[in-house]
Amino acid sequence: MSVAMNTRRHFPKTVLAALRTAKIIGLRAGSQPHRFTGVWFVVVQDRLFVRTWNNKPNGWYQAFRKEPRGRLQVAERELPVVARKARGERLFDAIDQAYGEKYPTPGSRQYVQGFAQPKRRATTLELLPS
């Protein structure tokens, strides 16, 4: 049986519940085992999104762009994921708002505002279960 490429895969409800309570997830791009990187993230419309802060050449974002498969760590669970580039101004606006709601502390404000800058919005990835 063939599955259409545009079929959207969803995380199980238990994983979404864990994501809604977590502040940071662990990400590891590629198939080689190495350490997880702690990443700020948001859930919008039951979809998981991440943005990179500094976009280093050897950072997790560039690693996912080269090899979109990786692993997600949340609430002591480790799950395989695939990353795809997110698009759409309305979606980006919703993601900006979600970052502000998830990370509302005064110390987080500069990062929330920074994530809303065009260069960081352009790094938005959606993580899907694989």
Side-chain angles (χ1 to χ4, degrees), residues 73-101:
Q73 192 176 53
V74 63
E76 301 179 19
R77 293 179 72 171
E78 193 176 311
L79 305 158
V81 294
V82 63
R84 72 175 176 194
K85 195 124 171 82
R87 290 179 169 72
E89 289 303 310
R90 286 193 314 201
L91 178 60
F92 287 171
D93 291 345
I95 292 168
D96 292 346
Q97 182 177 344
Y99 269 110
E101 292 169 1

Side-chain angles (χ1 to χ4, degrees), residues 97-110:
Q97 182 177 344
Y99 269 110
E101 292 169 1
K102 186 170 188 85
Y103 304 99
T105 65
S108 301
R109 188 173 300 126
Q110 72 175 356

Side-chain angles (χ1 to χ4, degrees), residues 16-122:
L16 287 172
L19 289 168
R20 286 191 175 93
T21 60
K23 292 290 186 183
I24 294 177
I25 56 172
L27 280 184
R28 180 170 70 201
S31 58
Q32 298 300 312
H34 54 85
R35 70 177 179 86
F36 282 90
T37 300
V39 175
W40 284 19
F41 69 97
V42 293
V43 175
V44 174
Q45 300 169 356
D46 291 342
R47 297 165 62 191
L48 174 59
F49 297 95
V50 292
R51 288 180 177 162
T52 186
W53 181 257
N54 56 27
N55 197 6
K56 292 181 181 177
N58 294 325
W60 64 264
Y61 173 77
Q62 290 301 328
F64 268 114
R65 296 295 290 154
K66 290 176 190 163
E67 185 178 348
R69 296 203 177 277
R71 310 275 306 166
L72 159 71
Q73 192 176 53
V74 63
E76 301 179 19
R77 293 179 72 171
E78 193 176 311
L79 305 158
V81 294
V82 63
R84 72 175 176 194
K85 195 124 171 82
R87 290 179 169 72
E89 289 303 310
R90 286 193 314 201
L91 178 60
F92 287 171
D93 291 345
I95 292 168
D96 292 346
Q97 182 177 344
Y99 269 110
E101 292 169 1
K102 186 170 188 85
Y103 304 99
T105 65
S108 301
R109 188 173 300 126
Q110 72 175 356
Y111 299 103
V112 169
Q113 291 170 346
F115 276 135
Q117 297 300 310
K119 72 179 183 178
R120 293 194 181 100
R121 282 171 63 125

